Amino acid sequence: MEYTVQKLGKLAGISARTLRYYDEIGILKPARISSSGYRIYGKKEVDLLQQILFYRELGVDLESIKKIVTSPSFDSVKSLREHHLKLLAKREQLDKLIRNVEKTIAMTEGRIEMSDKEKFEGFKQKLIEENEAKYGKEIREKYGEDVVEKNYAYFKNMSKEDYDRMTGLSEQILETLAEAMKTGDPAGPLGQKAADLHKQWISMCWGHYDKEAHANVAQMYVDDERFTAYYDDRVRPGAAVFLRDAIRIYTGK
Amino acid sequence: MEYTVQKLGKLAGISARTLRYYDEIGILKPARISSSGYRIYGKKEVDLLQQILFYRELGVDLESIKKIVTSPSFDSVKSLREHHLKLLAKREQLDKLIRNVEKTIAMTEGRIEMSDKEKFEGFKQKLIEENEAKYGKEIREKYGEDVVEKNYAYFKNMSKEDYDRMTGLSEQILETLAEAMKTGDPAGPLGQKAADLHKQWISMCWGHYDKEAHANVAQMYVDDERFTAYYDDRVRPGAAVFLRDAIRIYTGK
DNA sequence: TGTTGACATTAACGTAACGTAAAGGTGTAA
DNA sequence: TTACACCTTTACGTTACGTTAATGTCAACA
């Protein structure tokens, strides 16, 4: 339960020098100093260090962290909750970056076109701040929205040929789906053909293919009424559920 | 299509000084210099800057980035794919951190106990490297696994009282579920009671409650055969599906 | 046409968060 | 006691810019 600089450093994945520096700037003082002058840290310090590293991870500078953790009104639970929200926002931004990379790969291979502005999507801190403002009230509702937006986003900057191929595919999916529903069997050859066409379509949208994601999107078609309406209107009621079932079987998920 | 320092800076979300510095260290030279000495950047430079910022986001130092992008064998698509994998690994680590924060909140409120070692889970770079090794072959398979493991992880460090309350809840869920299935109606009072008990149980596991996540877990009970088997064995075949339906109605998702 | 104001330039010093090296003391296992 | 891995302080070095100063440029408006 007692740690020297090196032991605590190893535990937390930071250097001994960093701990001495934190002592120096008064952000994390050891619990006591041994008779020979060694810094000795205890349980309380371990917890405080954890908090400090949480904030550091967020890119907060040490001066601000010091103010936060040494404040007399420092409410660690409240602070953790705020921290939690910020991490969620950060993950959202990271997801944007990931999508950007996927898009850039597709672009480099000539499948889609990207505007200069889009090329930097996901980098800007501003986006994080915008997210934070929204996050106060409703985190998850928005998160669900994003998944939907993701699907539309890829349409915007395609080359003309790809766009034509895609709309062709969409119609084929609808036709095959209509035929397949007459058999009533999502596992049958027509149902599986529909799922396969949908796979091709998804692959074009995303620049790659991934079973797990495919299965998730299929579930989304059932969960999100906008998608449900799209298929049910264009084919026949129950089409979204039928397509989901076919894709589930197709992906084996 | 032509940018000065400030315009490009605004586009990319970085300062003009940064662009001058990148010119100075030879990492991003302008396409040409205007008659009055202004730096003028073109399309090629925009793309290169994007690549540079991708790497910077990953914490790569500029010296290394310079080597990478100025290398004659620099394959941007290959580099982007590697980059993509690293971002996925980073997201995984971020998810660990988020789980850690959630756990810490629960701990601070006295619901569970955490070992010192656990307190720093998610910080260590080592974990990223381990992930990268695994990522080479099968990314998504493992990602699916994690969601399952997440559910088990919280059991390990609970206090005795909480553990007892939780096992009590589990049994209540199973009993209520059995009764509810006799009515055949997931929307009925018994079905909704089962969903509510399950909500309490989930809340204990996670330290907080979230409708979206609840609905997702319910879907997982159907998708993952280990969970399906658990409920179907203990109650009766079809129990997992019944519980999912009840929770879907309960959460309104 | 002159002036304003937002841009651009180079030069140079400042900074945060440590890394690293020097010079020395401490603890313990062989 | 000797080796060796730890600890200490002091102090200078490093990265990736921020900031300030002193000065030049361009488009627009009185």
Side-chain angles (χ1 to χ4, degrees):
Chain A
M1 276 300 150
E2 299 219 309
Y3 302 98
T4 61
V5 271
Q6 199 133 103
K7 283 185 183 164
L8 182 54
K10 270 195 182 135
L11 181 70
I14 58 177
S15 73
R17 161 76 225 217
T18 299
L19 284 169
R20 291 196 196 98
Y21 181 65
Y22 286 179
D23 182 8
E24 189 187 329
I25 63 171
I27 200 175
L28 180 68
K29 298 267 182 202
R32 63 187 182 82
I33 306 289
S34 81
S35 61
S36 47
Y38 286 19
R39 290 173 180 80
I40 308 293
Y41 298 89
K43 196 167 168 17
K44 248 180 66 184
E45 286 72 32
V46 170
D47 288 349
L48 186 54
L49 178 56
Q50 190 201 16
Q51 304 264 351
I52 291 167
L53 294 184
F54 274 151
Y55 283 103
R56 195 182 68 162
E57 189 71 13
L58 282 174
V60 180
D61 64 303
L62 297 183
E63 193 55 40
S64 309
I65 295 179
K66 187 180 174 181
K67 277 180 198 157
I68 295 168
V69 299
T70 61
S71 156
S73 65
F74 176 58
D75 178 345
S76 78
V77 172
K78 194 182 155 197
S79 138
L80 277 169
R81 287 197 193 287
E82 281 167 19
H83 177 74
H84 186 222
L85 289 180
K86 283 180 190 164
L87 282 178
L88 290 176
K90 200 176 173 186
R91 182 169 63 180
E92 180 118 329
Q93 191 215 11
L94 187 57
D95 280 343
K96 250 180 196 139
L97 239 175
I98 289 173
R99 268 172 267 158
N100 189 351
V101 174
E102 287 165 357
K103 229 174 147 180
T104 305
I105 291 174
M107 185 199 69
T108 316
E109 291 173 343
R111 280 202 303 279
I112 57 170
E113 282 160 30
M114 261 174 103
S115 72
D116 280 356
K117 196 182 164 197
E118 279 180 296
K119 285 173 188 165
F120 296 98
E121 212 70 28
F123 286 129
K124 295 181 189 173
Q125 197 66 23
K126 219 180 63 183
L127 294 171
I128 281 207
E129 283 156 26
E130 279 173 23
N131 277 333
E132 272 200 64
K134 288 180 195 167
Y135 270 162
K137 299 274 176 185
E138 28 176 6
I139 305 168
R140 295 292 176 169
E141 280 84 339
K142 213 228 143 217
Y143 191 78
E145 276 276 275
D146 250 7
V147 180
V148 180
E149 281 169 40
K150 178 179 173 179
N151 263 276
Y152 297 130
Y154 285 94
F155 288 82
K156 290 186 200 152
N157 297 86
M158 300 184 74
S159 71
K160 204 165 193 130
E161 307 93 277
D162 279 349
Y163 183 79
D164 288 342
R165 271 181 56 204
M166 262 191 74
T167 47
L169 257 180
S170 299
E171 277 169 25
Q172 257 191 281
I173 291 172
L174 294 178
E175 282 166 24
T176 313
L177 198 54
E179 289 302 306
M181 281 187 80
K182 287 181 191 166
T183 72
D185 180 19
L190 276 171
Q192 291 306 292
K193 190 187 168 192
D196 185 69
L197 285 169
H198 190 261
K199 170 198 168 171
Q200 290 177 45
W201 185 75
I202 282 286
S203 304
M204 288 195 64
C205 285
W206 294 351
H208 72 283
Y209 181 70
D210 171 17
K211 273 187 187 176
E212 189 87 25
H214 192 189
N216 285 339
V217 165
Q219 182 60 40
M220 195 174 76
Y221 287 176
V222 177
D223 294 340
D224 190 300
E225 58 190 36
R226 280 168 294 184
F227 282 107
T228 314
Y230 175 84
Y231 285 102
D232 288 10
D233 285 349
R234 252 155 267 245
V235 185
R236 116 148 80 122
V241 171
F242 189 91
L243 180 58
R244 183 203 58 185
D245 291 340
I247 290 172
R248 251 192 216 165
I249 293 156
Y250 183 83
T251 58
K253 294 285 169 184
Chain B
M1 273 303 149
E2 298 218 309
Y3 302 97
T4 62
V5 272
Q6 198 133 105
K7 283 186 184 163
L8 182 54
K10 268 195 186 135
L11 180 70
I14 59 176
S15 73
R17 164 75 228 232
T18 299
L19 285 170
R20 292 199 194 96
Y21 181 65
Y22 287 178
D23 181 9
E24 187 188 330
I25 63 172
I27 200 174
L28 180 68
K29 298 267 183 204
R32 62 187 183 83
I33 305 289
S34 80
S35 61
S36 48
Y38 287 17
R39 290 172 180 81
I40 309 293
Y41 299 89
K43 198 169 166 15
K44 248 181 65 182
E45 288 71 33
V46 169
D47 288 349
L48 186 53
L49 178 57
Q50 189 200 18
Q51 302 264 353
I52 290 167
L53 294 184
F54 275 151
Y55 283 104
R56 194 182 70 162
E57 190 71 15
L58 282 174
V60 181
D61 64 303
L62 297 182
E63 193 55 40
S64 310
I65 295 179
K66 186 180 175 181
K67 278 180 196 155
I68 295 169
V69 299
T70 62
S71 158
S73 65
F74 176 58
D75 179 345
S76 77
V77 172
K78 194 182 156 198
S79 141
L80 277 170
R81 286 196 194 287
E82 282 168 18
H83 178 73
H84 186 223
L85 289 180
K86 282 179 190 164
L87 282 179
L88 290 176
K90 200 177 173 185
R91 183 170 64 181
E92 180 117 332
Q93 192 215 11
L94 186 58
D95 281 343
K96 250 179 196 142
L97 239 176
I98 290 172
R99 269 172 266 158
N100 190 355
V101 174
E102 288 165 356
K103 227 174 148 179
T104 305
I105 291 174
M107 186 199 68
T108 316
E109 291 174 342
R111 282 202 302 277
I112 56 169
E113 283 161 30
M114 262 175 102
S115 72
D116 279 357
K117 197 181 163 197
E118 278 181 296
K119 286 172 187 167
F120 296 100
E121 211 72 29
F123 286 129
K124 294 182 191 172
Q125 197 64 23
K126 219 179 65 184
L127 293 171
I128 281 209
E129 284 156 23
E130 280 173 19
N131 278 335
E132 272 202 64
K134 287 180 196 168
Y135 272 161
K137 298 276 178 184
E138 29 176 4
I139 306 169
R140 293 294 178 168
E141 280 85 341
K142 214 225 142 218
Y143 192 78
E145 277 277 275
D146 250 7
V147 180
V148 179
E149 276 170 325
K150 180 181 172 177
N151 263 276
Y152 296 130
Y154 285 93
F155 288 83
K156 288 186 202 152
N157 296 88
M158 300 183 73
S159 71
K160 204 165 196 135
E161 307 91 276
D162 280 349
Y163 183 80
D164 288 341
R165 271 182 55 203
M166 264 192 71
T167 45
L169 257 179
S170 300
E171 276 168 25
Q172 258 190 281
I173 292 172
L174 295 178
E175 282 164 24
T176 312
L177 197 53
E179 288 302 306
M181 282 187 80
K182 287 181 192 165
T183 73
D185 179 19
L190 276 171
Q192 290 308 292
K193 190 188 169 189
D196 186 69
L197 285 168
H198 191 261
K199 171 200 167 170
Q200 289 178 44
W201 184 76
I202 282 285
S203 303
M204 288 196 64
C205 287
W206 293 351
H208 72 284
Y209 180 71
D210 172 15
K211 274 187 187 178
E212 189 87 26
H214 192 189
N216 285 340
V217 166
Q219 184 59 39
M220 196 175 74
Y221 287 175
V222 176
D223 294 339
D224 190 301
E225 58 190 35
R226 281 168 293 185
F227 283 107
T228 314
Y230 175 84
Y231 284 103
D232 288 9
D233 284 349
R234 250 155 268 244
V235 183
R236 116 148 81 122
V241 171
F242 189 91
L243 179 59
R244 182 203 58 184
D245 291 337
I247 289 172
R248 251 193 217 164
I249 293 156
Y250 182 83
T251 58
K253 293 286 168 183

